[in-house]
Amino acid sequence: MKACTVKAFLTITVFSITFSVEAQIPAGDGYFWYRGNTHTHARYSDDSEINDVPMIARWYREAGYNFLLLSEHNNHLLERKIFCYDRLSRPKENFIMICGLELSMSRHVTALGIDRFLSGERSLREAVTMTLSAGGVPVLNHPMDPVVTAKEFIETEGLNHIEIVNGGRLLDTPASIALWDSVMSEPGGRIIYAVAADDNHYSRQRVGRGWIMVKAKSLSKSEIIESIRSGNFYPTTGVILDFTRTDGKSFHVSSQNGDTIKFFGRYGKLLGSEAGKDASYLFNGDELYVRAEVTDRQGKTAWTQPVMIKGGGNH
Ligand SMILES: [Zn+2]
Ligand SMILES: [Zn+2]
């Protein structure tokens, strides 16, 4: 079964044009894993009249992606007011476009899955509020550029997603992860879901630096958006997970191609490390939360979303 799943992934990556119809990786219980990028730009909206959007969508489709969000800077789009590219969806080829923007008039935020054009935000808080009121999911982009503090993040109600991998700022990943842990560990903090994305600026070479794998029943805009909203996904730079599972006493992680699994808790404290594709961590009850990182020998990584530990909290 496992060998079969690995093959499915390789098929997507290498032969995506011919076999993209197969690009649904079973996740059990009627669910599938869908690969997507939530942060991509086109030259068209930034500084050109040449419409390169169809070409960029094709790059991602051909690389085996199932969904793409063209996150145009809303401050460059005042006349065009584009936030959806539905016409580029190819449902028969297991590829859809997700509506959205990168709100850029204040702190950059991906407004994922919105139902209208948004502009005029004057703060991070306004960007988040406007995204939520348009039915979307706000994601704090490149949190080190400029730096958002844990306090500011926690005070921004409704902000529950952070970009820990940005394809244009890969060196910021460790600091972004430290912020992620701080937001979950500080008094008043909460569970936050991590996102990886290319932040691609019109470069085919930058397709695939970071993406998310979303667990959903089918490939529709609403299923993908709601799975992302509820944390039913994980970010990765190349390691693929089979599953993560918790029974309230332990956390079990299984990967297809990882070599080492590390478990982390409060403030990113290392709780344990195991070699191999599978590992379990037994809760001791005071971790507050547990999350895992699965790496391979090349340094590719998948991050699980955190599991909250009952009774371990200062929240
Ligand atoms: Zn940005
Ligand atoms: Zn961007």
Side-chain angles (χ1 to χ4, degrees), residues 61-262:
R61 206 171 72 237
E62 291 180 356
Y65 281 71
N66 301 114
F67 65 90
L68 176 67
L69 191 159
L70 253 295
S71 51
E72 310 291 30
H73 296 115
N74 65 338
N75 53 340
H76 292 194
L77 273 169
L78 290 174
E79 290 172 356
R80 295 194 183 107
K81 297 192 184 300
I82 300 169
F83 67 99
C84 262
Y85 290 92
D86 284 333
R87 68 184 186 283
L88 297 173
S89 293
R90 299 285 182 273
K92 285 181 185 163
E93 296 173 52
N94 274 318
F95 179 82
I96 61 169
M97 299 297 290
I98 302 289
C99 305
L101 289 164
E102 182 172 28
L103 304 189
S104 310
M105 294 177 154
S106 176
R107 191 58 185 71
H108 286 198
V109 165
T110 289
L112 183 148
I114 47 177
D115 61 9
R116 72 198 78 147
F117 184 83
L118 301 175
S119 71
E121 78 280 3
R122 291 163 298 182
S123 64
L124 172 60
R125 186 182 295 270
E126 281 191 8
V128 167
T129 306
M130 287 165 59
T131 300
L132 292 171
S133 65
V137 180
V139 181
L140 178 67
N141 287 343
H142 40 76
M144 294 299 118
D145 183 15
V147 171
V148 168
T149 64
K151 183 170 181 291
E152 190 184 355
F153 195 118
I154 290 167
E155 287 172 355
T156 309
E157 260 178 63
L159 180 60
N160 300 316
H161 293 70
I162 184 171
E163 187 183 72
I164 59 162
V165 175
N166 177 292
R169 300 169 176 85
L170 292 172
L171 293 178
D172 285 349
T173 295
S176 302
I177 290 172
L179 174 63
W180 179 30
D181 281 314
S182 291
V183 172
M184 296 192 286
S185 304
E186 293 281 329
R190 58 184 177 272
I191 284 290
I192 300 297
Y193 304 122
V195 173
D198 284 338
D199 195 2
N200 195 340
H201 287 71
Y202 6 104
S203 159
R204 190 165 201 170
Q205 281 68 44
R206 271 174 60 170
V207 172
R209 290 192 174 181
W211 67 90
I212 55 174
M213 297 296 289
V214 177
K215 193 176 172 183
K217 285 202 163 152
S218 65
L219 184 62
S220 71
K221 286 200 282 189
S222 60
E223 290 266 350
I224 295 295
I225 293 161
E226 294 315 311
S227 285
I228 293 173
R229 193 191 305 279
S230 57
N232 228 343
F233 71 96
Y234 67 87
T236 182
T237 57
V239 169
I240 298 301
L241 302 182
D242 270 336
F243 62 82
T244 64
R245 191 176 289 152
T246 178
D247 55 5
K249 292 176 185 155
S250 62
F251 188 35
H252 189 59
V253 179
S254 176
S255 79
Q256 295 188 8
N257 56 341
D259 297 309
T260 306
I261 301 181
K262 290 180 175 171

